[in-house]
Amino acid sequence: MWRSLNGGQSWTNLGPATGGDKQWFTIDNTTSTGHGFQYQCWSTGGNNYGGRQFSRSIDGGFTWLNPIFIPNSPAWGTPDVNTFGHLFIGGVNLNTGQIFLRSLDQCKGRGRYTNF
């Protein structure tokens, strides 16, 4: 994980962000209890973590949760946080066609998800 504080003129390495192939990131910018949390998920292809596809940081990207499984292994999942701080991952299971997941643990990506 790298950060620039001057519009990309220079970069600072914050630390390893784990992850696999084609990571997607989002940051909770709401006033929820997850304000500032960073979330990442990545493709099922090229996965270095035995199928685990999701991680989060609660300290500005300095450390990251050991990757966890996302139910139904969505390919090309894209995370987003709504105005209430609920974490969503939009993706598709290539075998079943199921799409969209939402975290159930106050939507902070702690590993409990539901499909809808």
Side-chain angles (χ1 to χ4, degrees), residues 33-83:
T33 58
H35 175 79
F37 285 12
Q38 297 178 23
Y39 303 102
Q40 65 173 330
C41 61
W42 50 90
S43 175
T44 52
N47 190 313
N48 300 328
Y49 297 93
R52 295 174 287 152
Q53 299 174 259
F54 176 84
S55 185
R56 70 175 176 150
S57 175
I58 61 173
D59 62 6
F62 287 99
T63 61
W64 290 84
L65 169 77
N66 191 28
I68 61 172
F69 289 99
I70 300 174
N72 298 309
S73 303
W76 312 301
T78 305
D80 197 9
V81 177
N82 71 8
T83 57

Side-chain angles (χ1 to χ4, degrees), residues 37 39 54 56 68 70-71 80-82 85-90 100-116:
F37 285 12
Y39 303 102
F54 176 84
R56 70 175 176 150
I68 61 172
I70 300 174
D80 197 9
V81 177
N82 71 8
H86 299 156
L87 173 64
F88 291 83
I89 298 175
F100 293 108
L101 295 164
R102 175 181 168 190
S103 174
L104 294 176
D105 289 328
Q106 270 309 93
C107 304
K108 302 305 165 216
R110 294 189 183 121
R112 292 180 50 224
Y113 292 88
T114 185
N115 289 308
F116 59 116

Side-chain angles (χ1 to χ4, degrees), residues 2-49:
W2 294 77
R3 173 172 58 186
S4 176
L5 298 175
N6 57 11
Q9 294 177 21
S10 63
W11 295 85
T12 302
N13 185 351
L14 297 176
T18 65
D21 187 35
K22 299 173 185 68
Q23 297 173 10
W24 288 82
F25 291 86
T26 194
I27 300 172
D28 185 341
N29 290 317
T30 69
T31 58
S32 74
T33 58
H35 175 79
F37 285 12
Q38 297 178 23
Y39 303 102
Q40 65 173 330
C41 61
W42 50 90
S43 175
T44 52
N47 190 313
N48 300 328
Y49 297 93

